[in-house]
Amino acid sequence: MSRGVLVDTTLCTGCRGCQVACKQQNKLPPEETTFFAKAGGYQNPADLSARTYSLVTFNEVENKNGHFDWVFARRQCMHCEEPSCVSACLVGALSKTESGAVVYDETKCIGCRYCLLSCPFGVPSFEWEKTVPFVRKCTFCFTRQAGGDAPATVNGKALDSEQRARHKETQTKPACTKACHTGALMFGEREELLVEARNRIRKNPKRYVNHIYGEKEAGGTSWLYLAGVSFKKLGFPMHLGERSFPSYAKAAKDGVPHVMLGVGAMLGGFYWYNQRCAEVAKKGE
Amino acid sequence: MTFQRIDRKIVTGPTVLLALLMLVGLGAVVMRMMNGLGATTNMSDVWPWGLWKSFNVMTLIALGAGGFSSAALIYIFGGEKYHGFARSAVLWGLMAYAFAGGSLMVDIGIPWRIVNPIWMWPEHSLLFEVAWCVMFYLTVLALELAPALFERFNLKGLESAWKALVPIYCIIGLSFFAYIMTHSLIWAVVILAFYGIVAAVLSRAGRKQSTPILLVMFGIVLSSLHQSTLGSLFLLVPDKLSHFWWSPRLPFNFLMSAVIIGLSVIVLERTIAPKVFGVPRQDELLAKLSRFIGSFLWLYLIFRILDVVVEGFSLAGTGHLTVAFGGPEKATMFVSEMFLGIAVPAVLLSIRACRNHVGARTFAVMLVIAGGIFNRLAVCFIGMNLPGEYVPSMIEILVTVGTVATMLLLFTLGAKLLPIYESRRDV
Ligand code: SF4
Ligand code: SF4
């Protein structure tokens, strides 16, 4: 089963706890930033980068009364169901694990940046300033997710089974979802999250727009979003369609052996024909 | 057909100039290596592919397409009369591909890992296919050029070994290629058997050719694949590339334009060579070849326009028409490309008087080449609907200039050292 996160932007308070947790988890160096450097105001830093894998976005959205509301959303790797970046990579440095995470192996990467080009959500970043640069992006904390059972004792105290279960749950969920204190980030099986999202919309049709972002976009993503306003206003790409991008590439790639046969047959045929013509012409002389 | 080398001084004014430009380019490469991509280029996370990918790799490979197009014309489609063009087209192709590969080493983040695709095989990646095609095709070009070396240094023994071994190399190469592209032994065996049979049948068909026909076929198969796949690479960006250029038919557009650009480069080269090398002028042949180019251009023009129309219809219902096609400047660029890069030369080359007139003919093929270069840059970055903009940095431009200068320099050197151009008495 493949896991995902349901981001309920209507619950997000913009505290950026998840953003900080992500920095800590991945031991990312700080970035020099300024408020209002770009449109977005308090959004800080302005964009994802090789030092910022996840980012709370600050969106000013006009409400019914003609005033502006802050609506917070979140950007990180969407861990696509059929990731363009994985299809792109020519050395297999990127791969989709069974648990849903799209992970990167820097020991293979050659730094061609095709993954950056192909990502529909503009996620992977490159360490441009380094002389030996790698690609950086959210890992879905796949090392945490792979974590084992809780230890028998913590600080010398034995844990009962309920404590052990809770320990395991908190230690194996992605750092951002652990940090979130409002329930805006919910970690779980993607299928269950979809059911949950539909339930929330059904129970509260006034609170939500009827759109689960990530359910179908570009073939679907592991991360799913709910919002009270159109996702367009939150800066999400709206023109991706439902077909996964790698399916175009796959069609082209599957054609390779057929092209090898077809072109070969055509060339061979023409060659043979021309040679025969030449021979016949010679005999006729 | 016999070939001879250009018996002229190696060091001349123009070659010195080219050498200087080469040094400037080298300096820029050193700067890039020492300071990293961020400090020396204008690429960014939003614009991850720039001048080097679009010109040094994609455009150079299109410019080098003359090697396979002319080989197809000469050996397969009975265009024996163009035989004299074969070697210079191959030498130029070799330069183009070698420098495309070399430039890639400058462009990628970790140059020494350029060899990684040799042992890492993600069969689903289109770029992986391109990498292998280009590697194999470089060996094909080198093998096609080998007879020039045999002649020059009188290596009779090597030549017979080459004749005997090349077909085997081709069959095994094709089969191996099929295997790593599909990870399927069945396909590998099918391709092996197919080309084995082709080789057996064709070896009985008719006269001996100077180049083993399987080598020619190998080259054409690889070229059809990677020239089109360079377009397919962008199938992954339907959300970014303006649909004036993006369509599911992008690979066909690329293949067609590669043939057209490759042949145009041959015409241009054959117009310049008499001036700089004193090789005989072959106006009649060039006029004939240009007629081909003209017909291909018409086909290509119709295809491109239909392509955009179909794209427009298929997007009409989605409400994303403007997002997909981009603003008026994209439309202007598209119309200019269609008009100046395809329609005008198509008309010129369809008129007999223009084809026979050196000036008009050369002007037409230069338009084609310029249009082709623009097309590759457009698909790679100019045509992208992305925020901000990318303009290549000075270092990027210098590397590109240096690359072209080095290619021209080495080509000149090759023509002076090896029998590349046909002898005067053969013409
Ligand atoms: S969001 Fe981008 S980087 Fe993440 S899995 Fe999808 S294509 Fe890959
Ligand atoms: S930059 Fe690295 S991870 Fe991305 S496609 Fe290229 S080799 Fe793969």
Side-chain angles (χ1 to χ4, degrees):
Chain A
M1 281 282 263
S2 138
R3 273 165 267 177
V5 172
L6 176 61
V7 184
D8 189 335
T9 60
T10 66
L11 297 175
C12 177
T13 59
C15 76
R16 283 192 274 239
C18 53
Q19 197 175 314
V20 174
C22 178
K23 277 245 169 190
Q24 284 180 333
Q25 172 69 34
N26 294 295
K27 302 194 177 63
L28 296 176
E31 241 178 299
E32 201 175 304
T33 60
T34 32
F35 287 135
F36 297 97
K38 270 193 194 172
Y42 293 100
Q43 180 172 316
N44 199 6
D47 209 344
L48 294 175
S49 73
R51 296 171 170 199
T52 303
Y53 299 173
S54 67
L55 175 69
V56 174
T57 62
F58 284 50
N59 309 282
E60 272 183 298
V61 178
E62 196 173 345
N63 64 20
K64 282 195 269 329
N65 314 324
H67 298 297
F68 284 95
D69 289 337
W70 280 116
V71 181
F72 311 108
R74 205 174 178 285
R75 285 187 65 202
Q76 75 294 309
C77 175
M78 303 286 279
H79 300 281
C80 304
E81 295 282 280
E82 289 177 57
S84 299
C85 59
V86 172
S87 162
C89 184
L90 79 168
V91 289
L94 289 153
S95 54
K96 173 109 177 152
T97 63
E98 248 169 59
S99 71
V102 173
V103 297
Y104 168 69
D105 178 355
E106 70 170 39
T107 63
K108 291 183 175 170
C109 176
I110 69 168
C112 72
R113 311 180 299 283
Y114 189 22
C115 50
L116 274 75
L117 184 79
S118 68
C119 173
F121 304 98
V123 168
S125 300
F126 199 58
E127 294 177 323
W128 292 100
E129 70 292 346
K130 298 205 177 155
T131 41
V132 182
F134 293 105
V135 171
R136 299 290 177 221
K137 72 167 193 70
C138 156
T139 66
F140 209 177
C141 289
F142 73 102
T143 47
R144 286 175 64 96
Q145 289 199 43
D149 287 330
T153 58
V154 168
N155 296 336
K157 274 192 208 145
L159 300 180
D160 63 30
S161 61
E162 189 208 329
Q163 283 168 322
R164 284 168 58 95
R166 218 170 57 221
H167 186 284
K168 174 163 180 173
E169 196 211 319
T170 53
Q171 290 310 305
T172 54
K173 52 160 57 167
C176 52
T177 62
K178 185 184 174 198
C180 182
H181 58 107
T182 63
L185 300 182
M186 183 178 179
F187 175 63
E189 295 294 337
R190 184 174 186 270
E191 291 310 313
E192 289 166 20
L193 293 176
L194 274 173
V195 174
E196 169 69 19
R198 281 190 209 109
N199 278 341
R200 286 193 200 174
I201 295 177
R202 202 185 49 234
K203 283 192 195 132
N204 238 327
K206 286 224 181 78
R207 186 183 175 102
Y208 298 104
V209 291
N210 189 13
H211 180 181
I212 305 170
Y213 194 96
E215 182 182 10
K216 301 204 173 115
E217 273 73 12
T221 59
S222 296
W223 280 61
L224 305 163
Y225 290 76
L226 287 174
V229 298
S230 159
F231 283 99
K232 193 183 168 110
K233 296 189 177 145
L234 305 182
F236 285 69
M238 301 302 282
H239 61 293
L240 301 180
E242 294 184 2
R243 180 165 170 187
S244 87
F245 296 174
S247 65
Y248 294 107
K250 187 166 184 308
K253 194 69 210 295
D254 287 347
V256 168
H258 304 280
V259 171
M260 292 179 77
L261 287 181
V263 172
M266 193 191 78
L267 296 177
F270 269 105
Y271 178 76
W272 187 82
Y273 175 77
N274 278 324
Q275 292 295 318
R276 283 295 298 163
C277 288
E279 239 170 75
V280 170
K282 217 190 216 162
K283 278 203 190 113
E285 270 168 21
Chain B
M1 180 73 56
T2 52
F3 295 86
Q4 65 181 26
R5 62 196 183 86
I6 307 296
D7 208 358
R8 292 203 173 178
K9 269 214 317 239
I10 287 185
V11 183
T12 60
T15 54
V16 170
L17 181 69
L18 290 175
L20 285 178
L21 286 174
M22 175 180 83
L23 288 180
V24 172
L26 261 180
V29 169
V30 171
M31 297 267 284
R32 131 83 185 98
M33 291 301 169
M34 287 176 48
N35 302 311
L37 286 165
T40 50
T41 73
N42 282 345
M43 291 184 279
S44 64
D45 286 346
V46 181
W47 298 91
W49 281 14
L51 182 66
W52 292 341
K53 281 265 175 33
S54 59
F55 187 88
N56 290 33
V57 180
M58 286 170 46
T59 308
L60 283 190
I61 286 181
L63 293 176
F68 96 91
S69 320
S70 64
L73 205 58
I74 296 164
Y75 299 107
I76 307 281
F77 296 104
E80 277 292 329
K81 53 182 176 292
Y82 301 110
H83 203 163
F85 295 178
R87 281 196 186 169
S88 58
V90 167
L91 179 64
W92 175 251
L94 192 63
M95 293 301 124
Y97 278 78
F99 280 88
S103 304
L104 204 54
M105 286 184 72
V106 181
D107 175 83
I108 64 175
I110 309 162
W112 54 92
R113 286 194 183 172
I114 195 156
V115 291
N116 277 12
I118 296 180
W119 47 80
M120 296 172 184
W121 299 350
E123 84 283 1
H124 51 72
S125 169
L126 289 166
L127 195 53
F128 173 68
E129 182 197 328
V130 174
W132 268 92
C133 272
V134 169
M135 279 191 280
F136 261 131
Y137 190 55
L138 264 172
T139 69
V140 170
L141 285 167
L143 286 172
E144 282 179 345
L145 198 65
L149 282 164
F150 302 150
E151 271 169 37
R152 175 81 169 81
F153 301 106
N154 218 356
L155 305 166
K156 281 273 173 318
L158 260 185
E159 180 159 17
S160 38
W162 173 81
K163 273 234 162 83
L165 293 179
V166 154
I168 302 174
Y169 169 71
C170 293
I171 297 176
I172 295 181
L174 280 157
S175 159
F176 176 71
F177 181 79
Y179 176 71
I180 55 172
M181 287 307 129
T182 56
H183 286 206
S184 141
L185 271 176
I186 299 179
W187 269 121
V189 172
V190 168
I191 297 286
L192 188 73
F194 175 78
Y195 280 94
I197 294 169
V198 166
V201 172
L202 294 190
S203 69
R204 280 192 219 132
R207 302 156 295 149
K208 285 265 167 292
Q209 294 248 26
S210 50
T211 307
I213 191 65
L214 268 185
L215 186 61
V216 174
M217 289 176 71
F218 192 17
I220 298 172
V221 169
L222 288 171
S223 295
S224 321
L225 284 172
H226 69 253
Q227 293 287 2
S228 59
T229 305
L230 279 172
S232 314
L233 290 183
F234 295 85
L235 290 177
L236 276 179
V237 294
D239 56 327
K240 305 182 188 80
L241 180 57
S242 159
H243 285 235
F244 282 120
W245 291 277
W246 191 95
S247 91
R249 295 158 294 276
L250 202 49
F252 297 103
N253 294 347
F254 260 58
L255 184 57
M256 261 192 278
S257 57
V259 172
I260 293 169
I261 298 166
L263 293 179
S264 300
V265 170
I266 293 183
V267 173
L268 186 63
E269 175 240 328
R270 285 286 155 166
T271 314
I272 301 173
K275 299 216 169 72
V276 295
F277 296 144
V279 301
R281 283 178 58 163
Q282 312 222 35
D283 285 309
E284 208 179 308
L285 272 187
L286 291 188
K288 281 204 182 111
L289 190 56
S290 309
R291 203 172 143 197
F292 267 121
I293 301 177
S295 330
F296 283 146
L297 278 170
W298 283 119
L299 273 180
Y300 180 52
L301 181 68
I302 295 169
F303 199 88
R304 284 291 299 277
I305 290 174
L306 281 180
D307 188 37
V308 167
V309 172
V310 170
E311 223 23 50
F313 273 114
S314 68
L315 283 165
T318 63
H320 299 310
L321 209 59
T322 29
V323 190
F325 278 96
E329 75 278 20
K330 297 275 170 3
T332 319
M333 288 194 283
F334 172 74
V335 172
S336 320
E337 187 197 333
M338 290 302 105
F339 187 69
L340 293 173
I342 308 178
V344 171
V347 170
L348 283 177
L349 295 180
S350 305
I351 301 170
R352 181 191 296 246
C354 290
R355 276 204 306 272
N356 289 333
H357 183 272
V358 187
R361 182 174 69 225
T362 314
F363 176 67
V365 294
M366 283 168 79
L367 277 182
V368 174
I369 295 169
I373 296 174
F374 175 78
N375 177 262
R376 295 310 193 256
L377 301 192
V379 169
C380 203
F381 70 91
I382 299 176
M384 295 279 180
N385 295 320
L386 286 169
E389 63 170 354
Y390 159 81
V391 180
S393 72
M394 206 42 177
I395 301 260
E396 289 178 85
I397 293 172
L398 288 180
V399 170
T400 296
V401 170
T403 307
V404 175
T406 316
M407 283 170 64
L408 293 173
L409 184 65
L410 289 184
F411 182 84
T412 319
L413 212 61
K416 287 177 183 173
L417 292 177
L418 296 173
I420 296 296
Y421 283 99
E422 60 274 43
S423 322
R424 210 161 247 289
R425 63 189 148 78
D426 274 350
V427 177

